[in-house]
Amino acid sequence: MSASLDSAAAGSAAADGAASAGPGAPPPDGALAELAAAHRVHTEYDPGSGPVAVSRDTLVAVLAALGVDASTPEAVRAALEEHRRRAAARLLPPCVVARAGRQVSVAVPAGAELWVELEDGGVRRVAAGAGTPARVLPPDLPLGRHTLHARLPDRTAAAPLVVAPARLEPLPGRSWGFLVQLYSVLSERSWGMGDLADLADLAQWSGHALGAGFVQVNPLHAALPGTPSDPSPYRPSSRRFPDPVHVRPEAVPEYAYLPPKERERADRLAARGAALRDTVLLEEGLVDRDAVWELKREALELVHRVPRSVGREAAYRAFLAREGGRLEDYATWCALAALHGGDWHRWPQELRDPAGPAVARAREEHAEAVEFHRWLCWVVDDQLAAAQDAAAGAGMPVGLVHDLAVGAHPDGADAWALQRVLAEGISVGAPPDAFNAHGQDWGLPPWRPDALAEAGYAPYADLLRGVLRHAGALRIDHVMGLFRLWWVPAGLPPTQGTYVRYDSEAMLGVLALEAHRAGAAVIGEDLGTVEPGVREELADRGVLGTSVLWFERDYAPDGSGGPLPPERWREQCLATLTTHDLPSTAARLSGEHVELRHRLGLLARPLEEEQAADDEEREEWLGELAREGLLSVPPYGEGPAADEDAPGTGPHLPDAVAALHRYLLRTPAKLLGVWLPDTLGDPRPQNLPGTWDQYPNWRLPVADAAGRPVTLERLAAAPRTAELAAVMAGLRGGGDGGTR
């Protein structure tokens, strides 16, 4: 139960603060440590080399972001007293999250009357306690969002009660699918970048022709407007609503009914979109999201004016009713951003509060623009639904796997609309560790755990409901953030942050309920530093993990060890060879990724040392493949090149790529992901962490082994694609696709 974990987490944080301090700032005094613990703020962390105390300045800043004044010893004492007073005065906790079928108790004053108002309108009484303030809720409460009521002679209280599945339903069997950055998959009908019609085609082709069970895409969240816009899908304006740049204008039904003059204009825009596509595919240009959106926006403005049929109008009205106030806020922000810029902090003061009267007036004054952005959201939703329907129609047991970013841009729509439940002046990141001594600052404001609880986790549930609506599964980036996040106060480096703990029972419970109602699986990206117990808790709740081949090692106590044998991989995971942030498999096998990082000045060691380490790791894995009987080729360095256009040495690269995928097939992993560019041996990463303008992150189309862009049609017809798909077909037959 959510309420019962507050004291446990506070005790844990207090213990952290009482431990001996390591290098860095001195430990905080007892009162400040107690106040920090009461608000789930850690007073020390361990980067792997021993405990490090969090500075007083950091604690003061983090507590301030939680609405707590700790600037002076007197303020600390007053805040502690206020925290105790409020806790004692509460009749009910802010929110209770329970697992179905488990005994849950709530502490209330003796003599209080307690009952549950079910979301369907029914009422369940809670029996009086036997000489104890702890009251046990009925264990057979139905799943859902209910309301817990309490009454004493002099006061009453109500709190949200979320009853979640104890565990998500397991996947029906094993399946494989493609991992895709949607913008990079251009068909012969795209307007300069991959879109939702391309996604539907990709799902139909891979499902019908190859037997794939899912397609995982990058976050499709709405981007922050501006030129140039941030191409990263992981720093969106809104996670709640998808970006209309992914729409195929011709696929909007009203496009077919454009009047002749408007149709001629729309066709000219489509021709310019085709020219953008040719620039990317034939001239090896980059995906230009801003140029694509300029054309699509103009075309969609024309389509928006076309009257809808009675059925389409009814569907649109139903969409507006379902989305409610969150859609109103988002559309209003978009309209205001077009007038005042994409950073709401720079808007006129009276427009910075979404609930203020000035915003209500602006919504009326700019009603036409607000309506256009509401309609855009419906159009994207409609095409997302069509893509998921296409996947289901192709026999995919999972279908589309959507991706949820860690947070949204501080200047964007979500930060404006949700500012009361987000931490102001804080950004999320990662602490310093053995791999990055400087830590990381991702520039994304985090949820306030206290405000989320007071809101009954409704903003979080609403976000999940939106991204799950047309998903067979949801990937959650940095899933460890459901347990704790590294908060970095504005003006301080990432090394001067601290962990703030969330109520993981509540965060996981709300996630489980929304995923259950959507009939979707959940995949947690649990790579990197993961605190003990997190993977076990996720597995217990039915959340799959993420396992990347190059990181799966059989570590000895001294830190040494080789590849983890396939039979010892975990079953409840998505297993892959790579991700969007890692080198492609072809680059791993050729060593090109080291050369690339060297050219960009990203190596921490001399080139020769990096190449030697890379050679050793590659030889280790090739040796493992040989021992498994999966790769019958000469030792690496003696075989032919992968392609005549991609000179190099080593095993025939398609053979080695196929062997690595056969290795994945020998693991018990429930889901097996194939990085789409690996089908053709594309050597380029889609994103190179640590770079900005030095490398074209998030703007590259899928290409062949020589780096030449290919269309979806060419990729589907390529012999290498068919060969790799034949390997993955071994999953259905219970084998590993044979050996070479």
Side-chain angles (χ1 to χ4, degrees):
M1 182 183 71
S2 165
S4 67
L5 291 182
D6 287 338
S7 57
S12 172
D16 288 343
S20 61
D29 60 67
L32 180 57
E34 184 181 354
L35 183 63
H39 292 278
R40 298 172 164 266
V41 179
H42 285 226
T43 55
E44 73 169 31
Y45 72 97
D46 190 342
S49 56
V52 175
V54 176
S55 73
R56 178 183 177 85
D57 287 348
T58 296
L59 293 176
V60 170
V62 168
L63 286 167
L66 291 168
V68 179
D69 182 5
S71 57
T72 66
E74 294 76 18
V76 170
R77 288 193 293 271
L80 268 175
E81 183 59 34
E82 174 64 13
H83 177 76
R84 294 169 186 145
R85 185 196 65 76
R86 291 183 64 186
R90 274 195 179 276
L91 189 50
L92 288 173
C95 180
V96 178
V97 180
R99 298 195 206 189
R102 298 197 180 186
Q103 180 172 302
V104 178
S105 61
V106 180
V108 295
E113 182 184 0
L114 208 62
W115 71 96
V116 177
E117 180 184 357
L118 302 177
E119 66 179 359
D120 65 2
V123 174
R124 298 286 296 276
R125 297 289 171 180
V126 179
T132 172
R135 305 285 287 279
V136 178
L137 300 181
D140 59 345
L141 288 173
L143 300 179
R145 294 185 64 88
H146 314 302
T147 304
L148 180 63
H149 294 270
R151 179 162 54 208
L152 285 172
D154 60 337
R155 55 192 167 126
T156 61
L161 168 60
V162 178
V163 179
R167 179 182 174 84
L168 289 171
E169 289 293 323
L171 291 168
R174 301 180 76 199
S175 61
W176 74 275
F178 286 122
L179 313 180
V180 178
Q181 298 288 294
L182 180 57
Y183 59 84
S184 72
V185 186
L186 286 75
S187 73
E188 295 174 356
R189 298 178 180 177
S190 305
W191 288 39
M193 63 181 284
D195 58 34
L196 291 171
D198 295 324
L199 178 58
D201 276 345
L202 175 62
Q204 286 183 309
W205 160 67
S206 60
H208 282 304
L210 308 182
F214 63 90
V215 175
Q216 177 181 301
V217 295
N218 56 284
L220 303 181
H221 308 322
L224 194 71
T227 305
S229 60
D230 186 343
S232 172
Y234 291 93
R235 281 173 56 82
S237 172
S238 174
R239 296 188 291 170
R240 176 62 177 78
F241 295 98
D243 199 307
V245 76
H246 300 113
V247 165
R248 174 76 63 80
E250 302 96 318
V252 180
E254 286 73 32
Y255 189 98
Y257 299 99
L258 283 166
K261 187 176 294 186
E262 284 77 5
R263 178 59 181 264
E264 182 180 346
R265 185 176 163 194
D267 288 346
R268 286 198 302 268
L269 292 168
R272 290 167 61 188
L276 287 177
R277 178 186 68 236
D278 290 346
T279 298
V280 174
L281 295 173
L282 303 181
E283 301 174 24
E284 300 188 16
L286 300 176
V287 171
D288 187 341
R289 180 191 177 281
D290 297 332
V292 172
W293 176 234
E294 183 179 351
L295 297 177
K296 287 189 176 182
R297 185 190 66 244
E298 189 174 343
L300 290 167
E301 285 172 348
L302 297 173
V303 177
H304 179 232
R305 302 187 194 119
V306 177
R308 293 177 286 273
S309 69
V310 292
R312 290 273 292 169
E313 182 65 23
Y316 179 45
R317 294 301 160 189
F319 172 81
L320 295 180
R322 186 187 72 203
E323 297 300 315
R326 281 291 287 118
L327 177 61
E328 285 294 308
D329 285 344
Y330 173 70
T332 300
W333 185 92
C334 291
L336 292 175
L339 295 170
H340 303 290
D343 181 357
W344 63 272
H345 300 92
R346 298 177 182 271
W347 292 357
Q349 184 68 41
E350 66 272 14
L351 296 178
R352 298 177 193 175
D353 179 3
V359 171
R361 289 194 299 271
R363 184 179 290 122
E364 292 297 323
E365 292 169 6
H366 305 288
E368 187 175 339
V370 173
E371 163 60 17
F372 177 60
H373 288 287
R374 282 195 301 248
W375 176 82
L376 285 176
C377 290
W378 177 57
V379 168
V380 187
D381 184 81
D382 202 39
Q383 293 196 7
L384 272 172
Q388 175 64 357
D389 288 346
M396 287 187 166
V398 178
L400 301 185
V401 180
H402 289 292
D403 197 350
L404 179 63
V406 175
H409 199 288
D411 300 341
D414 282 1
W416 177 74
L418 300 172
Q419 54 192 281
R420 288 173 176 79
V421 290
L422 297 176
E424 184 179 359
I426 299 290
S427 64
V428 175
D433 55 28
F435 300 99
N436 188 336
H438 302 292
Q440 300 176 55
D441 183 345
W442 303 331
L444 306 169
W447 296 114
R448 277 182 55 166
D450 59 326
L452 264 189
E454 293 288 349
Y457 294 91
Y460 171 55
D462 178 73
L463 166 64
L464 294 170
R465 205 171 301 128
V467 294
L468 282 163
R469 183 162 290 119
H470 304 302
L474 177 65
R475 175 191 181 270
I476 298 183
D477 196 41
H478 194 68
V479 72
M480 297 82 77
L482 301 182
F483 295 78
R484 66 179 186 180
L485 279 172
W486 183 255
W487 284 28
V488 181
L492 295 180
T495 53
Q496 294 298 306
T498 188
Y499 278 116
V500 173
R501 187 162 294 280
Y502 291 77
D503 185 342
S504 58
E505 183 74 11
M507 300 295 281
L508 287 170
V510 173
L511 171 63
L513 177 61
E514 296 302 332
H516 170 79
R517 287 183 156 177
V522 178
I523 303 163
E525 186 271 295
D526 56 353
L527 304 174
T529 302
V530 185
E531 64 177 322
V534 166
R535 286 195 174 107
E536 292 77 7
E537 177 63 18
L538 291 171
D540 184 58
R541 300 301 293 257
V543 176
L544 280 69
T546 301
S547 293
V548 177
L549 178 132
W550 306 97
F551 302 154
E552 292 296 312
R553 303 188 66 81
D554 188 11
Y555 287 109
D558 63 358
S560 64
L564 184 69
E567 66 274 8
R568 290 177 53 195
W569 285 40
R570 53 181 169 171
E571 178 182 359
Q572 299 301 317
C573 76
L574 166 66
T576 72
L577 299 185
T578 190
T579 74
H580 57 266
D581 282 333
L582 296 173
S584 71
T585 304
R588 284 272 191 187
L589 292 171
S590 68
E592 164 61 20
H593 69 111
V594 178
E595 294 282 352
L596 174 62
R597 290 165 54 223
H598 171 65
R599 291 195 298 271
L600 297 175
L602 299 177
L603 296 184
R605 296 180 293 179
L607 175 61
E608 295 75 15
E609 290 185 27
E610 291 280 355
Q611 287 177 323
D614 186 61
D615 289 346
E616 181 179 355
E617 181 182 38
R618 181 171 55 249
E619 294 294 341
E620 193 173 44
W621 274 105
L622 291 171
E624 178 71 6
L625 295 177
R627 282 190 293 273
E628 289 282 333
L630 297 174
L631 189 62
S632 303
V633 297
Y636 194 88
E638 300 177 11
D643 291 273
E644 59 183 7
D645 297 311
T649 60
H652 191 51
L653 284 184
D655 291 350
V657 171
L660 287 167
H661 283 94
R662 289 192 190 94
Y663 193 88
L664 290 184
L665 286 170
R666 291 191 174 182
T667 74
K670 279 285 191 179
L671 298 177
L672 304 176
V674 176
W675 179 238
L676 187 67
D678 276 350
T679 58
L680 298 184
D682 188 346
R684 309 162 310 165
Q686 281 293 319
N687 179 49
L688 192 59
T691 63
W692 175 243
D693 56 0
Q694 308 99 312
Y695 186 81
N697 294 320
W698 315 113
R699 288 173 288 172
L700 291 170
V702 173
D704 62 18
R708 294 175 303 222
V710 297
T711 62
L712 174 58
E713 290 83 359
R714 282 183 56 201
L715 183 145
R720 285 183 60 166
T721 302
E723 290 169 5
L724 187 54
V727 170
M728 302 311 295
L731 182 147
R732 288 178 291 171
D736 56 25
T739 60
R740 295 181 70 92

